[in-house]
Amino acid sequence: MKILVTGCFGFIGYNFLKVLSEESRNDFEVTGIDSLNNPYSKLNYDTFKKANDFEFFHEDILNIEKINFKSFNFDVVINFAAESHVDTSIYNPNVFIESNVMGVNNLLKFCISNKINEFIQISTDEVYGSAQEQFFQETDKLNPSSPYSASKASADMVCNSYAKTYGMKIKTIRPANNYGPYQQPEKLIPYSISNITKENRVEIYGKGLNIRHWLYVKDTVSGIISVLTKGGPGEIY
């Protein structure tokens, strides 16, 4: 199976890339694209390229049409590329709309023009908003509460429109908060660990009463591979 992985050197994308290269090298032919817009993505790239025979393109998904992929004949695009820091989205929402909404639309147009009929959108459970007493179902109403989650919900709706209008086989994955190796240090768990090791105070959100559900990133990757190989089009996971 030939896969184009966007955002391949971000947190979840890089863990996905590493699992495929270490455990499923013979099952998938992977090409990556990443904007390398932060030092951690660049570090992941520098580490990975030394040990792997890997086709990579340094480009933003907003400009994917600049790359000539005509001869690659991809079977599926898996989109990890996204701006994902909620706090940043509050003071700079434009970047999130551009990357998470317009970027996804550009990817879907790219799929149409290159006859790639399968697309996996890595979304977030935050599109549902907050729950007081029970878990959300996949089909529950979307009720995002930040510019970040609103941009991801918008992208999901764009994906849904391409499935209905163009008949694309789109699968949407909405994982909970992830943690694990290679996570950017501004995120809650690595940021807290960093403060603890430096004997600084650990920040508490609000009154400290909020509850979050967490997924270990390699469990998320395992789920993504299951959706890739066994999941049904039009489904939400």
Side-chain angles (χ1 to χ4, degrees):
M1 181 183 294
K2 294 184 178 182
I3 307 172
L4 176 62
V5 179
T6 67
C8 62
F9 290 116
F11 171 42
I12 303 179
Y14 186 48
N15 277 280
F16 177 79
L17 206 61
K18 284 183 68 66
V19 168
L20 289 193
S21 68
E22 293 167 4
E23 301 176 13
S24 305
R25 178 183 292 274
N26 296 326
D27 298 326
F28 303 101
E29 184 178 324
V30 181
T31 300
I33 176 173
D34 198 293
S35 64
L36 301 179
N37 65 352
N38 66 67
Y40 315 111
S41 295
K42 292 175 182 176
L43 181 61
N44 291 341
Y45 168 63
D46 289 339
T47 302
F48 194 81
K49 71 177 181 179
K50 294 176 182 177
N52 294 271
D53 181 16
F54 172 67
E55 187 90 42
F56 170 71
F57 293 88
H58 179 193
E59 189 56 84
D60 194 299
I61 57 172
L62 287 164
N63 303 317
I64 193 169
E65 73 281 352
K66 293 182 178 180
I67 305 172
N68 184 3
F69 282 123
K70 292 294 184 182
S71 63
F72 281 72
N73 298 315
F74 296 119
D75 297 300
V76 58
V77 173
I78 305 178
N79 179 39
F80 293 95
E83 295 289 337
S84 63
H85 196 217
V86 175
D87 292 349
T88 303
S89 78
I90 293 170
Y91 66 79
N92 192 9
N94 286 7
V95 174
F96 287 73
I97 302 303
E98 290 171 1
S99 179
N100 298 356
V101 184
M102 296 303 297
V104 168
N105 184 64
N106 281 13
L107 285 177
L108 292 167
K109 289 196 300 179
F110 164 80
C111 287
I112 295 294
S113 63
N114 287 274
K115 296 181 172 57
I116 306 166
N117 201 36
E118 295 195 25
F119 186 91
I120 296 178
Q121 167 68 357
I122 308 300
S123 185
T124 172
D125 67 336
E126 293 188 40
V127 299
Y128 296 113
S130 298
Q132 294 294 327
E133 298 179 356
Q134 60 187 15
F135 292 105
F136 287 110
Q137 300 294 317
E138 289 89 341
T139 54
D140 281 348
K141 180 179 71 174
L142 304 188
N143 187 28
S145 54
S146 69
Y148 161 64
S149 55
S151 70
K152 296 296 283 188
S154 300
D156 290 0
M157 293 299 97
V158 172
C159 288
N160 190 48
S161 73
Y162 272 74
K164 291 182 176 180
T165 302
Y166 302 103
M168 288 185 65
K169 297 178 180 179
I170 297 179
K171 307 167 189 176
T172 303
I173 299 175
R174 292 172 177 161
N177 296 278
N178 270 230
Y179 71 96
Y182 312 108
Q183 188 166 27
Q184 291 87 343
E186 75 268 12
K187 299 292 182 151
L188 177 62
I189 290 179
Y191 182 63
S192 298
I193 292 172
S194 176
N195 277 324
I196 290 169
T197 59
K198 295 176 182 178
E199 299 184 353
N200 294 331
R201 291 184 177 184
V202 176
E203 291 187 4
I204 300 296
Y205 286 82
K207 296 181 180 180
L209 300 177
N210 292 353
I211 295 173
R212 285 185 174 185
H213 291 274
W214 295 90
L215 283 171
Y216 182 52
V217 66
K218 291 188 178 180
D219 291 332
T220 299
V221 168
S222 177
I224 293 169
I225 293 173
S226 292
V227 171
L228 172 64
T229 57
K230 304 173 184 177
E235 294 292 336
I236 299 168
Y237 298 90

